[in-house]
PDB file of all heavy atoms in Angstrom:
ATOM      1  N   ASN A 196     -24.311  11.528  -5.428  1.00 77.00           N
ATOM      2  CA  ASN A 196     -23.372  10.652  -4.929  1.00 77.00           C
ATOM      3  C   ASN A 196     -21.989  11.302  -4.601  1.00 77.00           C
ATOM      4  O   ASN A 196     -21.272  10.936  -3.713  1.00 77.00           O
ATOM      5  CB  ASN A 196     -23.135   9.438  -5.702  1.00 77.00           C
ATOM      6  CG  ASN A 196     -24.385   8.454  -5.710  1.00 77.00           C
ATOM      7  OD1 ASN A 196     -25.018   8.452  -4.729  1.00 77.00           O
ATOM      8  ND2 ASN A 196     -24.579   7.758  -6.790  1.00 77.00           N
ATOM      9  N   GLU A 197     -21.682  12.203  -5.454  1.00 79.00           N
ATOM     10  CA  GLU A 197     -20.428  12.890  -5.348  1.00 79.00           C
ATOM     11  C   GLU A 197     -20.351  13.721  -4.154  1.00 79.00           C
ATOM     12  O   GLU A 197     -19.237  13.850  -3.481  1.00 79.00           O
ATOM     13  CB  GLU A 197     -20.244  13.783  -6.614  1.00 79.00           C
ATOM     14  CG  GLU A 197     -18.773  14.391  -6.724  1.00 79.00           C
ATOM     15  CD  GLU A 197     -18.644  15.192  -7.988  1.00 79.00           C
ATOM     16  OE1 GLU A 197     -19.212  14.830  -9.052  1.00 79.00           O
ATOM     17  OE2 GLU A 197     -17.980  16.222  -8.001  1.00 79.00           O
ATOM     18  N   TYR A 198     -21.457  14.374  -3.807  1.00 81.00           N
ATOM     19  CA  TYR A 198     -21.456  15.266  -2.651  1.00 81.00           C
ATOM     20  C   TYR A 198     -21.959  14.584  -1.329  1.00 81.00           C
ATOM     21  O   TYR A 198     -21.742  15.146  -0.242  1.00 81.00           O
ATOM     22  CB  TYR A 198     -22.389  16.547  -2.874  1.00 81.00           C
ATOM     23  CG  TYR A 198     -21.695  17.508  -3.842  1.00 81.00           C
ATOM     24  CD1 TYR A 198     -21.873  17.441  -5.170  1.00 81.00           C
ATOM     25  CD2 TYR A 198     -20.905  18.422  -3.307  1.00 81.00           C
ATOM     26  CE1 TYR A 198     -21.282  18.276  -5.992  1.00 81.00           C
ATOM     27  CE2 TYR A 198     -20.183  19.428  -4.263  1.00 81.00           C
ATOM     28  CZ  TYR A 198     -20.445  19.303  -5.535  1.00 81.00           C
ATOM     29  OH  TYR A 198     -19.868  20.219  -6.321  1.00 81.00           O
ATOM     30  N   ALA A 199     -22.437  13.395  -1.439  1.00 72.00           N
ATOM     31  CA  ALA A 199     -22.792  12.701  -0.203  1.00 72.00           C
ATOM     32  C   ALA A 199     -21.636  12.350   0.680  1.00 72.00           C
ATOM     33  O   ALA A 199     -20.459  12.015   0.152  1.00 72.00           O
ATOM     34  CB  ALA A 199     -23.546  11.502  -0.607  1.00 72.00           C
ATOM     35  N   PRO A 200     -21.703  12.403   1.985  1.00 70.00           N
ATOM     36  CA  PRO A 200     -20.622  12.027   2.796  1.00 70.00           C
ATOM     37  C   PRO A 200     -20.312  10.546   2.639  1.00 70.00           C
ATOM     38  O   PRO A 200     -21.080   9.677   2.572  1.00 70.00           O
ATOM     39  CB  PRO A 200     -21.140  12.334   4.230  1.00 70.00           C
ATOM     40  CG  PRO A 200     -22.611  12.415   4.144  1.00 70.00           C
ATOM     41  CD  PRO A 200     -22.952  12.768   2.768  1.00 70.00           C
ATOM     42  N   LYS A 201     -18.949  10.287   2.585  1.00 64.00           N
ATOM     43  CA  LYS A 201     -18.579   8.906   2.362  1.00 64.00           C
ATOM     44  C   LYS A 201     -17.931   8.418   3.670  1.00 64.00           C
ATOM     45  O   LYS A 201     -17.049   9.103   4.264  1.00 64.00           O
ATOM     46  CB  LYS A 201     -17.608   8.860   1.222  1.00 64.00           C
ATOM     47  CG  LYS A 201     -18.295   9.225  -0.015  1.00 64.00           C
ATOM     48  CD  LYS A 201     -17.356   9.158  -1.179  1.00 64.00           C
ATOM     49  CE  LYS A 201     -17.876   9.451  -2.511  1.00 64.00           C
ATOM     50  NZ  LYS A 201     -18.683  10.568  -2.692  1.00 64.00           N
ATOM     51  N   ASP A 202     -18.232   7.138   3.978  1.00 59.00           N
ATOM     52  CA  ASP A 202     -17.597   6.524   5.110  1.00 59.00           C
ATOM     53  C   ASP A 202     -16.530   5.479   4.687  1.00 59.00           C
ATOM     54  O   ASP A 202     -16.836   4.296   4.725  1.00 59.00           O
ATOM     55  CB  ASP A 202     -18.664   5.902   6.051  1.00 59.00           C
ATOM     56  CG  ASP A 202     -18.132   5.341   7.341  1.00 59.00           C
ATOM     57  OD1 ASP A 202     -17.047   5.780   7.702  1.00 59.00           O
ATOM     58  OD2 ASP A 202     -18.638   4.425   7.827  1.00 59.00           O
ATOM     59  N   THR A 203     -15.528   6.031   4.028  1.00 67.00           N
ATOM     60  CA  THR A 203     -14.572   5.137   3.459  1.00 67.00           C
ATOM     61  C   THR A 203     -13.251   5.115   4.289  1.00 67.00           C
ATOM     62  O   THR A 203     -12.285   4.554   4.011  1.00 67.00           O
ATOM     63  CB  THR A 203     -14.070   5.594   2.034  1.00 67.00           C
ATOM     64  OG1 THR A 203     -13.718   6.901   2.111  1.00 67.00           O
ATOM     65  CG2 THR A 203     -15.356   5.476   1.089  1.00 67.00           C
ATOM     66  N   SER A 204     -13.344   5.714   5.523  1.00 81.00           N
ATOM     67  CA  SER A 204     -12.079   5.737   6.285  1.00 81.00           C
ATOM     68  C   SER A 204     -11.641   4.397   6.671  1.00 81.00           C
ATOM     69  O   SER A 204     -10.308   4.150   6.828  1.00 81.00           O
ATOM     70  CB  SER A 204     -12.331   6.601   7.489  1.00 81.00           C
ATOM     71  OG  SER A 204     -13.346   6.088   8.348  1.00 81.00           O
ATOM     72  N   LYS A 205     -12.517   3.494   6.930  1.00 82.00           N
ATOM     73  CA  LYS A 205     -12.159   2.166   7.353  1.00 82.00           C
ATOM     74  C   LYS A 205     -11.547   1.316   6.133  1.00 82.00           C
ATOM     75  O   LYS A 205     -10.575   0.581   6.292  1.00 82.00           O
ATOM     76  CB  LYS A 205     -13.323   1.255   7.901  1.00 82.00           C
ATOM     77  CG  LYS A 205     -13.772   1.861   9.263  1.00 82.00           C
ATOM     78  CD  LYS A 205     -14.751   1.029   9.895  1.00 82.00           C
ATOM     79  CE  LYS A 205     -15.095   1.520  11.264  1.00 82.00           C
ATOM     80  NZ  LYS A 205     -16.159   0.706  11.920  1.00 82.00           N
ATOM     81  N   VAL A 206     -12.045   1.589   4.951  1.00 82.00           N
ATOM     82  CA  VAL A 206     -11.495   0.957   3.775  1.00 82.00           C
ATOM     83  C   VAL A 206     -10.123   1.463   3.468  1.00 82.00           C
ATOM     84  O   VAL A 206      -9.219   0.815   3.151  1.00 82.00           O
ATOM     85  CB  VAL A 206     -12.463   1.168   2.538  1.00 82.00           C
ATOM     86  CG1 VAL A 206     -11.784   0.682   1.236  1.00 82.00           C
ATOM     87  CG2 VAL A 206     -13.770   0.596   2.764  1.00 82.00           C
ATOM     88  N   VAL A 207      -9.975   2.764   3.619  1.00 83.00           N
ATOM     89  CA  VAL A 207      -8.675   3.415   3.430  1.00 83.00           C
ATOM     90  C   VAL A 207      -7.704   2.823   4.520  1.00 83.00           C
ATOM     91  O   VAL A 207      -6.494   2.505   4.089  1.00 83.00           O
ATOM     92  CB  VAL A 207      -8.740   4.941   3.487  1.00 83.00           C
ATOM     93  CG1 VAL A 207      -7.303   5.544   3.544  1.00 83.00           C
ATOM     94  CG2 VAL A 207      -9.574   5.464   2.365  1.00 83.00           C
ATOM     95  N   ALA A 208      -8.123   2.733   5.746  1.00 87.00           N
ATOM     96  CA  ALA A 208      -7.231   2.165   6.850  1.00 87.00           C
ATOM     97  C   ALA A 208      -6.766   0.739   6.434  1.00 87.00           C
ATOM     98  O   ALA A 208      -5.632   0.345   6.637  1.00 87.00           O
ATOM     99  CB  ALA A 208      -7.994   2.301   8.073  1.00 87.00           C
ATOM    100  N   LEU A 209      -7.779  -0.077   5.938  1.00 88.00           N
ATOM    101  CA  LEU A 209      -7.514  -1.413   5.532  1.00 88.00           C
ATOM    102  C   LEU A 209      -6.523  -1.475   4.493  1.00 88.00           C
ATOM    103  O   LEU A 209      -5.571  -2.314   4.550  1.00 88.00           O
ATOM    104  CB  LEU A 209      -8.776  -2.089   5.073  1.00 88.00           C
ATOM    105  CG  LEU A 209      -8.816  -3.555   4.825  1.00 88.00           C
ATOM    106  CD1 LEU A 209      -8.397  -4.308   6.074  1.00 88.00           C
ATOM    107  CD2 LEU A 209     -10.195  -4.108   4.323  1.00 88.00           C
ATOM    108  N   ARG A 210      -6.671  -0.577   3.514  1.00 90.00           N
ATOM    109  CA  ARG A 210      -5.564  -0.560   2.411  1.00 90.00           C
ATOM    110  C   ARG A 210      -4.269  -0.286   2.923  1.00 90.00           C
ATOM    111  O   ARG A 210      -3.249  -0.736   2.427  1.00 90.00           O
ATOM    112  CB  ARG A 210      -6.006   0.393   1.255  1.00 90.00           C
ATOM    113  CG  ARG A 210      -7.187  -0.092   0.435  1.00 90.00           C
ATOM    114  CD  ARG A 210      -7.397   0.830  -0.681  1.00 90.00           C
ATOM    115  NE  ARG A 210      -8.560   0.388  -1.425  1.00 90.00           N
ATOM    116  CZ  ARG A 210      -9.527   1.113  -1.944  1.00 90.00           C
ATOM    117  NH1 ARG A 210      -9.491   2.388  -1.794  1.00 90.00           N
ATOM    118  NH2 ARG A 210     -10.495   0.652  -2.677  1.00 90.00           N
ATOM    119  N   LYS A 211      -4.215   0.729   3.822  1.00 92.00           N
ATOM    120  CA  LYS A 211      -2.918   1.110   4.351  1.00 92.00           C
ATOM    121  C   LYS A 211      -2.293   0.063   5.165  1.00 92.00           C
ATOM    122  O   LYS A 211      -1.073  -0.183   5.145  1.00 92.00           O
ATOM    123  CB  LYS A 211      -3.134   2.396   5.324  1.00 92.00           C
ATOM    124  CG  LYS A 211      -3.272   3.715   4.483  1.00 92.00           C
ATOM    125  CD  LYS A 211      -3.404   4.857   5.426  1.00 92.00           C
ATOM    126  CE  LYS A 211      -3.581   6.125   4.580  1.00 92.00           C
ATOM    127  NZ  LYS A 211      -3.815   7.302   5.417  1.00 92.00           N
ATOM    128  N   LEU A 212      -3.039  -0.705   5.939  1.00 92.00           N
ATOM    129  CA  LEU A 212      -2.553  -1.837   6.843  1.00 92.00           C
ATOM    130  C   LEU A 212      -2.017  -2.854   5.846  1.00 92.00           C
ATOM    131  O   LEU A 212      -0.930  -3.489   6.068  1.00 92.00           O
ATOM    132  CB  LEU A 212      -3.605  -2.464   7.634  1.00 92.00           C
ATOM    133  CG  LEU A 212      -3.839  -1.724   8.951  1.00 92.00           C
ATOM    134  CD1 LEU A 212      -5.015  -2.427   9.662  1.00 92.00           C
ATOM    135  CD2 LEU A 212      -2.579  -1.873   9.866  1.00 92.00           C
ATOM    136  N   ASP A 213      -2.724  -3.197   4.648  1.00 93.00           N
ATOM    137  CA  ASP A 213      -2.267  -4.100   3.699  1.00 93.00           C
ATOM    138  C   ASP A 213      -0.909  -3.670   3.050  1.00 93.00           C
ATOM    139  O   ASP A 213      -0.027  -4.499   3.042  1.00 93.00           O
ATOM    140  CB  ASP A 213      -3.346  -4.388   2.691  1.00 93.00           C
ATOM    141  CG  ASP A 213      -2.988  -5.356   1.622  1.00 93.00           C
ATOM    142  OD1 ASP A 213      -2.558  -6.488   2.041  1.00 93.00           O
ATOM    143  OD2 ASP A 213      -3.087  -5.087   0.406  1.00 93.00           O
ATOM    144  N   ALA A 214      -0.875  -2.435   2.757  1.00 94.00           N
ATOM    145  CA  ALA A 214       0.413  -1.950   2.175  1.00 94.00           C
ATOM    146  C   ALA A 214       1.560  -1.915   3.182  1.00 94.00           C
ATOM    147  O   ALA A 214       2.676  -2.354   2.906  1.00 94.00           O
ATOM    148  CB  ALA A 214       0.215  -0.594   1.692  1.00 94.00           C
ATOM    149  N   LYS A 215       1.177  -1.691   4.412  1.00 95.00           N
ATOM    150  CA  LYS A 215       2.185  -1.682   5.488  1.00 95.00           C
ATOM    151  C   LYS A 215       2.746  -3.166   5.768  1.00 95.00           C
ATOM    152  O   LYS A 215       3.935  -3.282   6.049  1.00 95.00           O
ATOM    153  CB  LYS A 215       1.600  -1.126   6.842  1.00 95.00           C
ATOM    154  CG  LYS A 215       2.598  -0.746   7.880  1.00 95.00           C
ATOM    155  CD  LYS A 215       1.684  -0.136   8.988  1.00 95.00           C
ATOM    156  CE  LYS A 215       2.612   0.476  10.024  1.00 95.00           C
ATOM    157  NZ  LYS A 215       1.904   1.038  11.186  1.00 95.00           N
ATOM    158  N   ALA A 216       1.891  -4.151   5.587  1.00 95.00           N
ATOM    159  CA  ALA A 216       2.269  -5.511   5.763  1.00 95.00           C
ATOM    160  C   ALA A 216       3.172  -6.015   4.661  1.00 95.00           C
ATOM    161  O   ALA A 216       4.130  -6.781   4.952  1.00 95.00           O
ATOM    162  CB  ALA A 216       1.067  -6.424   5.809  1.00 95.00           C
ATOM    163  N   LYS A 217       2.924  -5.476   3.464  1.00 96.00           N
ATOM    164  CA  LYS A 217       3.727  -5.838   2.296  1.00 96.00           C
ATOM    165  C   LYS A 217       4.990  -4.992   2.053  1.00 96.00           C
ATOM    166  O   LYS A 217       5.853  -5.543   1.315  1.00 96.00           O
ATOM    167  CB  LYS A 217       2.816  -5.803   1.047  1.00 96.00           C
ATOM    168  CG  LYS A 217       1.744  -6.799   1.103  1.00 96.00           C
ATOM    169  CD  LYS A 217       0.740  -6.674  -0.033  1.00 96.00           C
ATOM    170  CE  LYS A 217      -0.436  -7.669   0.092  1.00 96.00           C
ATOM    171  NZ  LYS A 217      -1.372  -7.479  -1.070  1.00 96.00           N
ATOM    172  N   LEU A 218       5.034  -3.830   2.606  1.00 96.00           N
ATOM    173  CA  LEU A 218       6.112  -2.949   2.306  1.00 96.00           C
ATOM    174  C   LEU A 218       7.599  -3.531   2.550  1.00 96.00           C
ATOM    175  O   LEU A 218       8.467  -3.387   1.653  1.00 96.00           O
ATOM    176  CB  LEU A 218       5.982  -1.620   3.023  1.00 96.00           C
ATOM    177  CG  LEU A 218       7.069  -0.519   2.707  1.00 96.00           C
ATOM    178  CD1 LEU A 218       6.889  -0.098   1.256  1.00 96.00           C
ATOM    179  CD2 LEU A 218       6.788   0.655   3.656  1.00 96.00           C
ATOM    180  N   PRO A 219       7.812  -4.082   3.682  1.00 96.00           N
ATOM    181  CA  PRO A 219       9.209  -4.577   3.872  1.00 96.00           C
ATOM    182  C   PRO A 219       9.653  -5.673   2.889  1.00 96.00           C
ATOM    183  O   PRO A 219      10.746  -5.618   2.400  1.00 96.00           O
ATOM    184  CB  PRO A 219       9.176  -5.238   5.338  1.00 96.00           C
ATOM    185  CG  PRO A 219       8.046  -4.512   5.943  1.00 96.00           C
ATOM    186  CD  PRO A 219       6.993  -4.306   4.938  1.00 96.00           C
ATOM    187  N   ALA A 220       8.696  -6.534   2.585  1.00 97.00           N
ATOM    188  CA  ALA A 220       9.038  -7.467   1.551  1.00 97.00           C
ATOM    189  C   ALA A 220       9.328  -6.975   0.201  1.00 97.00           C
ATOM    190  O   ALA A 220      10.214  -7.395  -0.596  1.00 97.00           O
ATOM    191  CB  ALA A 220       7.850  -8.543   1.362  1.00 97.00           C
ATOM    192  N   ASN A 221       8.467  -5.981  -0.218  1.00 97.00           N
ATOM    193  CA  ASN A 221       8.679  -5.275  -1.500  1.00 97.00           C
ATOM    194  C   ASN A 221      10.008  -4.522  -1.514  1.00 97.00           C
ATOM    195  O   ASN A 221      10.773  -4.595  -2.620  1.00 97.00           O
ATOM    196  CB  ASN A 221       7.504  -4.272  -1.818  1.00 97.00           C
ATOM    197  CG  ASN A 221       6.292  -4.995  -2.138  1.00 97.00           C
ATOM    198  OD1 ASN A 221       6.293  -6.210  -2.537  1.00 97.00           O
ATOM    199  ND2 ASN A 221       5.170  -4.380  -1.934  1.00 97.00           N
ATOM    200  N   ILE A 222      10.286  -3.882  -0.520  1.00 98.00           N
ATOM    201  CA  ILE A 222      11.634  -3.064  -0.476  1.00 98.00           C
ATOM    202  C   ILE A 222      12.863  -4.035  -0.530  1.00 98.00           C
ATOM    203  O   ILE A 222      13.720  -3.850  -1.323  1.00 98.00           O
ATOM    204  CB  ILE A 222      11.743  -2.165   0.816  1.00 98.00           C
ATOM    205  CG1 ILE A 222      10.752  -1.009   0.725  1.00 98.00           C
ATOM    206  CG2 ILE A 222      13.113  -1.645   1.075  1.00 98.00           C
ATOM    207  CD1 ILE A 222      10.578  -0.190   1.975  1.00 98.00           C
ATOM    208  N   PHE A 223      12.784  -5.051   0.207  1.00 97.00           N
ATOM    209  CA  PHE A 223      13.824  -6.107   0.209  1.00 97.00           C
ATOM    210  C   PHE A 223      14.025  -6.694  -1.176  1.00 97.00           C
ATOM    211  O   PHE A 223      15.103  -6.782  -1.704  1.00 97.00           O
ATOM    212  CB  PHE A 223      13.587  -7.165   1.186  1.00 97.00           C
ATOM    213  CG  PHE A 223      14.628  -8.284   1.065  1.00 97.00           C
ATOM    214  CD1 PHE A 223      15.831  -8.100   1.632  1.00 97.00           C
ATOM    215  CD2 PHE A 223      14.335  -9.454   0.336  1.00 97.00           C
ATOM    216  CE1 PHE A 223      16.863  -9.165   1.543  1.00 97.00           C
ATOM    217  CE2 PHE A 223      15.253 -10.399   0.217  1.00 97.00           C
ATOM    218  CZ  PHE A 223      16.526 -10.193   0.785  1.00 97.00           C
ATOM    219  N   THR A 224      12.881  -7.176  -1.769  1.00 97.00           N
ATOM    220  CA  THR A 224      13.062  -7.851  -3.025  1.00 97.00           C
ATOM    221  C   THR A 224      13.554  -7.033  -4.219  1.00 97.00           C
ATOM    222  O   THR A 224      14.384  -7.357  -5.029  1.00 97.00           O
ATOM    223  CB  THR A 224      11.746  -8.568  -3.398  1.00 97.00           C
ATOM    224  OG1 THR A 224      11.975  -9.570  -4.343  1.00 97.00           O
ATOM    225  CG2 THR A 224      10.673  -7.681  -3.961  1.00 97.00           C
ATOM    226  N   TYR A 225      13.041  -5.745  -4.256  1.00 98.00           N
ATOM    227  CA  TYR A 225      13.518  -4.703  -5.260  1.00 98.00           C
ATOM    228  C   TYR A 225      15.061  -4.515  -5.035  1.00 98.00           C
ATOM    229  O   TYR A 225      15.856  -4.501  -5.999  1.00 98.00           O
ATOM    230  CB  TYR A 225      12.755  -3.463  -5.247  1.00 98.00           C
ATOM    231  CG  TYR A 225      11.443  -3.604  -5.951  1.00 98.00           C
ATOM    232  CD1 TYR A 225      10.299  -3.287  -5.202  1.00 98.00           C
ATOM    233  CD2 TYR A 225      11.308  -3.954  -7.301  1.00 98.00           C
ATOM    234  CE1 TYR A 225       8.933  -3.533  -5.874  1.00 98.00           C
ATOM    235  CE2 TYR A 225      10.087  -4.091  -7.858  1.00 98.00           C
ATOM    236  CZ  TYR A 225       8.949  -3.859  -7.212  1.00 98.00           C
ATOM    237  OH  TYR A 225       7.763  -3.940  -7.724  1.00 98.00           O
ATOM    238  N   THR A 226      15.416  -4.253  -3.806  1.00 98.00           N
ATOM    239  CA  THR A 226      16.807  -3.944  -3.527  1.00 98.00           C
ATOM    240  C   THR A 226      17.741  -5.097  -3.837  1.00 98.00           C
ATOM    241  O   THR A 226      18.770  -4.917  -4.517  1.00 98.00           O
ATOM    242  CB  THR A 226      16.912  -3.574  -1.931  1.00 98.00           C
ATOM    243  OG1 THR A 226      16.106  -2.499  -1.718  1.00 98.00           O
ATOM    244  CG2 THR A 226      18.356  -3.196  -1.656  1.00 98.00           C
ATOM    245  N   LEU A 227      17.348  -6.276  -3.372  1.00 98.00           N
ATOM    246  CA  LEU A 227      18.208  -7.515  -3.579  1.00 98.00           C
ATOM    247  C   LEU A 227      18.272  -7.784  -5.133  1.00 98.00           C
ATOM    248  O   LEU A 227      19.239  -8.176  -5.634  1.00 98.00           O
ATOM    249  CB  LEU A 227      17.785  -8.686  -2.955  1.00 98.00           C
ATOM    250  CG  LEU A 227      18.575  -9.911  -3.119  1.00 98.00           C
ATOM    251  CD1 LEU A 227      19.998  -9.704  -2.676  1.00 98.00           C
ATOM    252  CD2 LEU A 227      18.031 -11.071  -2.386  1.00 98.00           C
ATOM    253  N   GLY A 228      17.071  -7.586  -5.791  1.00 97.00           N
ATOM    254  CA  GLY A 228      17.019  -7.856  -7.224  1.00 97.00           C
ATOM    255  C   GLY A 228      17.900  -6.909  -8.051  1.00 97.00           C
ATOM    256  O   GLY A 228      18.626  -7.385  -9.008  1.00 97.00           O
ATOM    257  N   ILE A 229      17.903  -5.627  -7.715  1.00 98.00           N
ATOM    258  CA  ILE A 229      18.686  -4.625  -8.384  1.00 98.00           C
ATOM    259  C   ILE A 229      20.182  -4.911  -8.178  1.00 98.00           C
ATOM    260  O   ILE A 229      20.993  -4.900  -9.048  1.00 98.00           O
ATOM    261  CB  ILE A 229      18.358  -3.183  -7.960  1.00 98.00           C
ATOM    262  CG1 ILE A 229      16.897  -2.775  -8.574  1.00 98.00           C
ATOM    263  CG2 ILE A 229      19.360  -2.221  -8.421  1.00 98.00           C
ATOM    264  CD1 ILE A 229      16.359  -1.615  -7.994  1.00 98.00           C
ATOM    265  N   ILE A 230      20.475  -5.175  -6.934  1.00 98.00           N
ATOM    266  CA  ILE A 230      22.036  -5.410  -6.580  1.00 98.00           C
ATOM    267  C   ILE A 230      22.505  -6.679  -7.250  1.00 98.00           C
ATOM    268  O   ILE A 230      23.543  -6.791  -7.796  1.00 98.00           O
ATOM    269  CB  ILE A 230      22.205  -5.517  -5.079  1.00 98.00           C
ATOM    270  CG1 ILE A 230      21.960  -4.064  -4.483  1.00 98.00           C
ATOM    271  CG2 ILE A 230      23.549  -6.008  -4.713  1.00 98.00           C
ATOM    272  CD1 ILE A 230      21.859  -4.030  -2.975  1.00 98.00           C
ATOM    273  N   SER A 231      21.676  -7.677  -7.221  1.00 98.00           N
ATOM    274  CA  SER A 231      22.036  -8.969  -7.866  1.00 98.00           C
ATOM    275  C   SER A 231      22.181  -8.802  -9.421  1.00 98.00           C
ATOM    276  O   SER A 231      23.141  -9.455  -9.886  1.00 98.00           O
ATOM    277  CB  SER A 231      20.937 -10.060  -7.590  1.00 98.00           C
ATOM    278  OG  SER A 231      20.937 -10.266  -6.225  1.00 98.00           O
ATOM    279  N   ALA A 232      21.296  -8.080 -10.041  1.00 97.00           N
ATOM    280  CA  ALA A 232      21.330  -7.920 -11.405  1.00 97.00           C
ATOM    281  C   ALA A 232      22.600  -7.063 -11.832  1.00 97.00           C
ATOM    282  O   ALA A 232      23.340  -7.412 -12.825  1.00 97.00           O
ATOM    283  CB  ALA A 232      20.132  -7.228 -12.009  1.00 97.00           C
ATOM    284  N   LEU A 233      22.935  -6.084 -10.946  1.00 98.00           N
ATOM    285  CA  LEU A 233      24.160  -5.369 -11.196  1.00 98.00           C
ATOM    286  C   LEU A 233      25.435  -6.089 -11.073  1.00 98.00           C
ATOM    287  O   LEU A 233      26.437  -6.134 -11.848  1.00 98.00           O
ATOM    288  CB  LEU A 233      24.142  -4.089 -10.338  1.00 98.00           C
ATOM    289  CG  LEU A 233      23.148  -2.956 -10.603  1.00 98.00           C
ATOM    290  CD1 LEU A 233      23.175  -1.930  -9.601  1.00 98.00           C
ATOM    291  CD2 LEU A 233      23.460  -2.375 -12.053  1.00 98.00           C
TER     292      LEU A 233
END
């Protein structure tokens, strides 16, 4: 199983798309949260 070719490129692409969709919200909330706490 370790040496067998894996077709995970679509799963990796799906994870990247999910992260790309959530990234602006995460950056905004962390930035505003830190500034507000300070």
Side-chain angles (χ1 to χ4, degrees):
N196 285 334
E197 186 176 328
Y198 284 93
K201 293 177 178 57
D202 186 25
T203 58
S204 60
K205 289 186 179 182
V206 175
V207 171
L209 185 63
R210 285 187 184 137
K211 285 183 180 179
L212 276 174
D213 182 48
K215 199 173 183 182
K217 295 176 182 176
L218 184 65
N221 288 336
I222 289 173
F223 173 82
T224 197
Y225 283 120
T226 304
L227 182 61
I229 290 168
I230 291 170
S231 297
L233 289 173

